Amino acid sequence: MRDKEVSAALWEKLEGLLPEAPRRSAQGGRPRVDDRRALNGILFVLRTGIGWEHLPQELGYGSGMTC
């Protein structure tokens, strides 16, 4: 499904519209998923119609909860 990901040209336009990522807490926690990967995960769920909880982790988009 990688051919259905957001293209570099489209991402370049969208990236400037997103708010700046908040600084990571000194207390740790999970690392933030890249915004582009999360967007690709959202689009994957919308395209396929699967439930958020069924988003395949091996695609690298993060969990359905993250997306």
Side-chain angles (χ1 to χ4, degrees):
M1 281 282 188
R2 296 284 188 204
D3 61 326
K4 299 285 188 179
E5 291 186 349
V6 174
S7 69
L10 178 57
W11 179 248
E12 190 175 318
K13 293 176 184 177
L14 293 174
E15 188 174 27
L17 301 173
L18 299 174
E20 191 171 317
R23 289 191 171 182
R24 195 159 170 212
S25 169
Q27 297 171 339
R30 290 186 180 160
R32 182 179 167 87
V33 172
D34 177 72
D35 288 337
R36 185 174 180 179
R37 291 190 321 173
L39 176 60
N40 281 315
I42 293 168
L43 295 175
F44 181 85
V45 168
L46 295 175
R47 247 191 336 271
T48 62
I50 65 170
W52 291 103
E53 67 277 8
H54 300 297
L55 181 63
Q57 291 293 299
E58 52 275 0
L59 292 177
Y61 300 142
S63 68
M65 188 73 96
T66 296
C67 292

